[in-house]
Amino acid sequence: MKSALYAGTALIAITASTASAEKITVFGPWLTPESEIVAEIFDVFEERTGHEVSYVGSDSFEQQILIDAEAGSAPNISIFPQPGLASDMASRGFLTPLQDGSADWIRDNYAAGQSWVDLGTFTNENGDDDLYGMFFRVDLKSLVWYSPENFEDADYDVPETMEDLIALSDQIVADGGTPWCIGLGSGAATGWPATDWVEDMMLRTQPPEIYDQWVTNELPFDSPEVVGAIEAFGQFVLNDDYVAGGSGAVASTDFRDSPKGLFDSPPQCYMHRMASFIPAFFPEGTVVGEDADFFYFPAFAEKDLGSPVLGAGTVAAITNPSEGAQELIAFLREPIAHEIWMGHGGFLTPHKGVDLAKFQDDTSRALNNILLDATTFRFDGSDLMPGAVGAGSFWTGMVDYTSGKSAEDVAATIQSSWPE
């Protein structure tokens, strides 16, 4: 079946002979409706090449792919929700490098291209580094959400630098308002929203190579650079005048409830820093682009670190090599592979060659422009750290910090939990 979005589009005829046509297996985390969109993308590839692609999605991908790889029954291509697991599998010899020229293509065609090469480069069982992964579908975290009506009523402008953002926060306080809603509550995962703040602050106070050293613990968690990033977060979260309910309410406020203060009359707060998924928790009927909008969480002008972006994404890697598998990875470079999903929504890409008119709506297009304007992209740091830290002591340490413990003590405790 040809994608409905691209019915009638001229396709490049790369028809494989019966002898060379392959059955290519792909395994990943995408379930319905994402799996149906993926099928549309693979339909185009099948029509071009004559290969047959079979995709299977699972909500237990991380566990199952290891079982399959160890049993010698891995799929041709695996779609990893985060690069950490892919890196682990490369170190055990379970991944095959991408074809020659792939790194140069990514550098030339992805915004902040070297960042994506770095994120897809892993060390193999022989201690050698190679490009194993290509990112396809990205999420954006470096965002601040606000009500345009509230900004207009108060005559506030969207800030362009971190210095402007701090000045705006001070102005809102001077005008009798509260600039921020912040909530760290998330059940057993309470604390994770603060890790995003700290990661963004690391990218805004330190060069990206320092961030990379931090997530691998080459730079210890209790280093001055990391303590400084925690304290930069503290400039916002520990200021009772800055936060709705005061800093003492942050840890007990559920992150899903915290943005609702933007829509109260009068507003409980004017800004909320959160990833691109947060509109799902806005009051029913909220229209993004009208009732709510967003701007890039800005960098410090004085630091001269460009426009770093924090996010996440899925990375495709070859777990059972074949010529067809390499062809399918190469096909994912083509604009059409991105544009099909762009037309369905819920998809962002750093690909500079896509037709932005293919996005389903203006919101997606504006989000993607932030990604395309990035000078550096870095993956969510807590997702790259060992689970005991990234999904453990880092979370709880941030709750302790907002509850009165010093940044130095919190960082030292987190460092002591890092696995040997």
Side-chain angles (χ1 to χ4, degrees):
M1 180 186 72
K2 187 185 295 182
S3 165
L5 287 173
Y6 284 84
T9 299
L11 300 175
I12 299 172
I14 315 177
T15 305
S17 68
T18 303
S20 63
E22 295 182 23
K23 290 186 176 180
I24 304 168
T25 53
V26 183
F27 183 42
W30 298 320
L31 305 174
T32 303
E34 285 89 351
S35 60
E36 297 170 358
I37 300 171
V38 171
E40 287 188 30
I41 296 170
F42 291 159
D43 285 344
V44 176
F45 174 75
E46 289 176 340
E47 185 167 346
R48 289 188 179 191
T49 64
H51 296 312
E52 179 182 337
V53 182
S54 173
Y55 172 78
V56 175
S58 172
D59 57 6
S60 301
F61 170 85
E62 292 89 344
Q63 294 78 27
Q64 190 61 47
I65 188 57
L66 283 172
I67 293 171
D68 292 347
E70 290 169 348
S73 57
N76 295 115
I77 293 174
S78 297
I79 310 294
F80 292 88
Q82 53 182 263
L85 177 57
S87 177
D88 289 344
M89 291 189 63
S91 70
R92 298 177 62 185
F94 290 140
L95 300 188
T96 297
L98 302 188
Q99 62 189 13
D100 291 345
S102 295
D104 288 338
W105 184 91
I106 293 171
R107 287 189 193 96
D108 291 342
N109 292 277
Y110 271 17
Q114 186 60 47
S115 295
W116 301 103
V117 173
D118 294 343
L119 284 167
T121 298
F122 311 127
T123 305
N124 65 21
E125 72 275 27
N126 298 318
D128 298 322
D129 292 339
D130 216 330
L131 180 68
Y132 290 94
M134 176 180 166
F135 276 82
F136 183 78
R137 193 189 188 196
V138 176
D139 298 316
L140 186 57
K141 294 196 170 192
S142 301
L143 299 171
V144 178
W145 296 85
Y146 71 106
S147 164
E149 181 179 356
N150 291 343
F151 266 46
E152 183 178 354
D153 289 346
D155 197 25
Y156 296 146
D157 294 324
V158 170
E160 297 184 359
T161 68
M162 184 61 69
E163 290 89 344
D164 291 341
L165 182 62
I166 294 169
L168 174 59
S169 299
D170 289 337
Q171 183 62 53
I172 293 172
V173 171
D175 292 343
T178 303
W180 295 91
C181 280
I182 303 175
L184 306 187
S186 185
T190 290
W192 74 258
T195 68
D196 284 357
W197 272 89
V198 173
E199 289 153 9
D200 252 335
M201 286 303 185
M202 277 292 291
L203 290 173
R204 282 151 181 76
T205 57
Q206 302 298 326
E209 55 268 24
I210 297 297
Y211 182 95
D212 297 338
Q213 294 169 13
W214 170 51
V215 300
T216 62
N217 207 226
E218 182 181 348
L219 178 76
F221 217 106
D222 53 357
S223 296
E225 295 89 341
V226 184
V227 171
I230 295 173
E231 291 177 337
F233 166 49
Q235 183 174 355
F236 293 86
V237 74
L238 299 184
N239 187 332
D240 285 334
D241 292 335
Y242 267 25
V243 184
S247 61
V250 167
S252 60
T253 300
D254 194 287
F255 82 93
R256 288 156 286 211
D257 295 329
S258 58
K260 294 175 181 176
L262 294 171
F263 308 101
D264 288 342
S265 184
Q268 290 188 26
C269 61
Y270 283 81
M271 294 177 287
H272 184 263
R273 187 226 157 275
M274 185 53 72
S276 54
F277 66 79
I278 198 61
F281 303 105
F282 288 169
E284 186 176 354
T286 301
V287 178
V288 176
E290 297 178 13
D291 308 308
D293 212 337
F294 56 86
F295 58 85
Y296 168 67
F297 187 57
F300 286 98
E302 66 178 12
K303 298 289 185 181
D304 195 24
L305 293 172
S307 301
V309 167
L310 178 72
T314 47
V315 57
I318 295 174
T319 41
N320 187 352
S322 73
E323 288 187 13
Q326 292 282 10
E327 287 180 39
L328 182 50
I329 294 289
F331 171 73
L332 294 180
R333 301 177 187 174
E334 299 196 26
I336 190 173
H338 301 245
E339 291 165 358
I340 290 174
W341 205 329
M342 286 160 54
H344 287 279
F347 184 91
L348 300 177
T349 176
H351 197 314
K352 295 185 291 187
V354 299
D355 180 0
L356 298 179
K358 300 291 186 183
F359 273 111
Q360 184 186 54
D361 51 53
D362 291 339
T363 296
S364 298
R365 192 174 299 109
L367 287 168
N368 207 81
N369 281 334
I370 292 176
L371 194 59
L372 293 178
D373 288 340
T375 56
T376 299
F377 182 95
R378 283 298 183 268
F379 205 91
D380 181 300
S382 61
D383 284 346
L384 300 178
M385 296 174 184
V389 179
S393 59
F394 196 0
W395 291 352
T396 56
M398 291 300 95
V399 173
D400 291 341
Y401 178 61
T402 61
S403 301
K405 197 171 181 180
S406 72
E408 291 85 354
D409 288 345
V410 165
T413 299
I414 298 172
Q415 178 59 33
S416 68
S417 73
W418 201 283
E420 295 292 336

